[in-house]
Amino acid sequence: MQLDTIASATMTANRAVFRCFRGCPGEYSVYDVIYTCPNCGGLLEVHHDIDALRSRSADEWKQLIERRVGTTTWPYGSGVWGMREWVMPDLRDENVVSMYEGNTNLFWAGRLGEQIGVPDLWVKLCGNSHTGSFKDLGMTVLVSVVKQMMADGSPVRAVAAASTGDTSAALAAYAAAAGIPSLIFLPSGKVSTAQLIQPVANGAHVLALDTDFDGCMRIVKEVTKDNTIYLANSMNSVRIEGQKTVAIEIVRQFDWNVPDWIIIPVGNLGNISALYKGLKLIKDLGLIDKMPRLVAAQADKANPFYRSFLNGFREKVTIQADKTLASAIQIGNPVSYEKAVQAVTETNGLVEAVTEHELANAAARADLTGMYTCPHTGVALAALFKLVARGEIQSRDRVVVVSTAHGLKFTSFKVGYHEGKLGEVESELANPPIYLPADVGVVKETIARRLQR
Ligand SMILES: *Cc1c(COP(=O)(O)O)cnc(C)c1O
Ligand SMILES: [Zn+2]
């Protein structure tokens, strides 16, 4: 084993293939245009050859990955491609479409943690990324796979996705970087201005449809039945392979120690499935010996997974999701339901749901300690506050909240909050600008009054 190099010796020996998540027999190439099991219609999952991966010891893997973090040796400096043997082992270098995604900082939320009595609180800032959300982690893998498919003569000529805003931004950017046309289906008027303009700027064909996300999903599924357009939604389990690296990255950032809890806002349930898959992989390879408890956080307005949890996961609940400030998780029929049930049950996890009022005030409270949180991160933080209040999360626990997008994408959410204009929200921490005449006396008086409080 060559430990003095960051390239991989096992790369060619090791192979990843699609298998049915429900366990039907059969294997399919990850470079084929196939999204669901031909036998049962369920989701596929990328299966790695664990025995081949065990040819490196846990310590050798840790050292290899640590040596790659942040380097400029293509493509290993990326948080995703630094783990390439675990992600897409037989993808050729020339097909990697990377913008050095991942390696996001783990913000020690000490001040907020002190306030709520959980000082070992961390926020994984996945929004500090190329297009401002964790969706970059999956799209680098998906677009790279498509590039290899096209290089090898596949009929695919474009990529497409329905989106609540961040998927499309990431897909459009990576497709533009690769020179591959992209088609974006957005629910008209239901994404933020920043999210709408991102794929527009990146040259995507942006189709704003008069429906919600689930409606866009139905249409994109029809459009991609023609195998020349590749579906980039999270029912495509290739994306999960990139997204799972964030869980491994969190553990590495704690020197390979596992936190007690990871709390994540969920919509289509791909990301929580990805966290579980990443953690399970490094547990199987002996890098860790326990799992964190995973908490899925939802908005009350779009809470099908929470309802399923309340019925003991006896059956999948599907709803018509109502409008929520957490627009990226306004989903009523989550695609990765079965995978997420596994993620929660196998980690002794929980599902929590929060109101608009709770999510908006949680986001504002975090901002007052220096963060700049998106509404989805507000959902996860509000869930944290509830679990602490209920005594589920205890003061000595180490907790990681996954911040899924950058607050700068959600300016009207912030403005609305501080102007006290959000529906169903009482802005308890509003801090609007103070408009004054340009008069030193008035200004000094105002400062004195403000600093007294
Ligand atoms: C996509 C997204 C989510 C939800 O992830 P799922 O995989 O759909 O559960 C949460 N927050 C943000 C900001 C997102 O863009
Ligand atoms: Zn099947």
Side-chain angles (χ1 to χ4, degrees):
M1 203 61 44
Q2 276 188 300
L3 277 174
D4 54 348
T5 164
I6 64 172
S8 169
T10 58
M11 233 183 77
T12 43
N14 171 23
R15 216 167 68 93
V17 292
F18 281 138
R19 284 191 187 170
C20 172
F21 179 72
R22 294 176 183 155
C24 299
E27 282 185 357
Y28 314 93
S29 167
V30 292
Y31 302 100
D32 281 349
V33 183
I34 180 170
Y35 313 111
T36 51
C37 171
N39 182 47
C40 72
L43 290 185
L44 298 171
E45 170 172 64
V46 176
H47 175 84
H48 292 269
D49 184 346
I50 291 289
D51 287 334
L53 293 174
R54 285 203 177 113
S55 66
R56 274 196 176 92
S57 72
D59 277 344
E60 285 171 332
W61 278 120
K62 289 178 187 173
Q63 287 168 31
L64 180 69
I65 284 161
E66 256 153 31
R67 220 172 16 254
R68 290 170 171 173
V69 173
T71 59
T72 50
T73 309
W74 180 265
Y76 297 104
S78 150
V80 172
W81 298 105
M83 305 178 196
R84 72 184 298 174
E85 296 85 352
W86 298 345
V87 172
M88 211 40 77
D90 48 7
L91 191 93
R92 301 191 296 275
D93 269 14
E94 72 267 24
N95 295 324
V96 172
V97 183
S98 170
M99 298 197 261
Y100 269 41
E101 49 290 314
N103 293 329
T104 51
N105 55 309
L106 194 50
F107 179 95
W108 184 25
R111 184 140 181 265
L112 181 64
E114 291 289 351
Q115 289 174 8
I116 63 166
V118 182
D120 204 357
L121 175 65
W122 303 76
V123 179
K124 177 65 170 166
L125 293 176
C126 298
N128 289 352
S129 181
H130 192 75
T131 69
S133 86
F134 77 83
K135 298 291 201 298
D136 291 348
L137 303 174
M139 281 309 170
T140 181
V141 179
L142 181 136
V143 174
S144 300
V145 164
V146 171
K147 192 170 175 202
Q148 183 145 317
M149 288 162 76
M150 291 169 83
D152 293 347
S154 153
V156 167
R157 60 199 162 100
V159 288
S163 177
T164 51
D166 291 326
T167 297
S168 44
L171 179 61
Y174 281 86
I180 298 170
S182 62
L183 296 158
I184 302 299
F185 297 78
L186 291 173
S188 184
K190 295 191 176 71
V191 304
S192 78
T193 308
Q195 289 171 323
L196 173 66
I197 210 64
Q198 282 181 292
V200 166
N202 286 133
H205 304 279
V206 179
L207 311 173
L209 306 186
D210 187 16
T211 178
D212 59 4
F213 169 80
D214 297 299
C216 287
M217 195 64 229
R218 273 193 300 279
I219 295 207
V220 80
K221 271 184 174 168
E222 287 300 320
V223 170
T224 53
K225 274 191 179 145
D226 165 1
N227 278 355
T228 65
I229 302 174
Y230 191 71
L231 179 63
N233 278 98
S234 66
M235 70 186 290
N236 186 326
S237 50
V238 160
R239 276 174 52 200
I240 302 289
E241 295 309 296
Q243 288 173 206
K244 78 183 183 190
T245 62
V246 74
I248 303 169
E249 192 172 282
I250 289 169
V251 173
R252 176 179 62 72
Q253 285 172 312
F254 289 122
D255 297 323
W256 303 99
N257 290 306
V258 178
D260 297 300
W261 301 88
I262 300 182
I263 307 177
I264 179 172
V266 301
N268 232 343
L269 301 175
N271 212 21
I272 190 166
S273 310
L275 292 188
Y276 174 74
K277 193 162 189 277
L279 293 162
K280 176 82 168 54
L281 175 75
I282 57 171
K283 187 155 177 282
D284 288 345
L285 293 176
L287 280 77
I288 58 173
D289 56 13
K290 65 163 193 167
M291 297 289 259
R293 296 179 71 181
L294 297 181
V295 178
Q298 292 212 295
D300 276 342
K301 300 275 186 190
N303 65 353
F305 194 53
Y306 180 64
R307 294 188 199 195
S308 304
F309 172 74
L310 291 185
N311 77 30
F313 292 130
R314 273 196 309 279
E315 60 187 30
K316 176 178 174 180
V317 176
T318 297
I319 61 166
Q320 175 81 40
D322 287 331
K323 190 170 167 51
T324 166
L325 294 163
S327 50
I329 54 176
Q330 188 180 323
I331 292 173
N333 183 12
V335 161
S336 296
Y337 173 77
E338 289 166 49
K339 292 180 178 177
V341 169
Q342 180 189 49
V344 170
T345 51
E346 298 285 311
T347 64
N348 190 23
L350 296 169
V351 185
E352 190 53 79
V354 305
T355 64
E356 300 294 286
H357 176 76
E358 288 167 337
L359 78 87
N361 281 294
R365 187 167 179 190
D367 288 1
L368 287 177
T369 67
M371 285 176 261
Y372 194 70
T373 49
C374 76
H376 323 89
T377 307
V379 169
L381 288 167
L384 163 70
F385 298 166
K386 284 182 139 172
L387 293 173
V388 172
R390 279 219 309 269
E392 288 272 11
I393 293 180
Q394 314 226 316
S395 62
R396 60 183 150 67
D397 291 348
R398 169 170 283 175
V399 181
V400 177
V401 169
V402 177
S403 174
T404 44
H406 202 297
L408 285 172
K409 285 203 193 199
F410 300 90
T411 303
S412 65
F413 165 67
K414 296 286 185 205
V415 173
Y417 180 87
H418 289 286
E419 287 182 344
K421 286 181 182 159
L422 297 180
E424 301 181 36
V425 175
E426 200 186 308
S427 302
E428 290 166 350
L429 303 165
N431 180 35
I434 307 159
Y435 294 95
L436 298 175
D439 177 318
V440 174
V442 177
V443 169
K444 280 186 165 171
E445 214 175 276
T446 308
I447 292 172
R449 210 173 343 106
R450 293 287 289 201
L451 293 184
Q452 231 171 46
R453 298 192 305 177

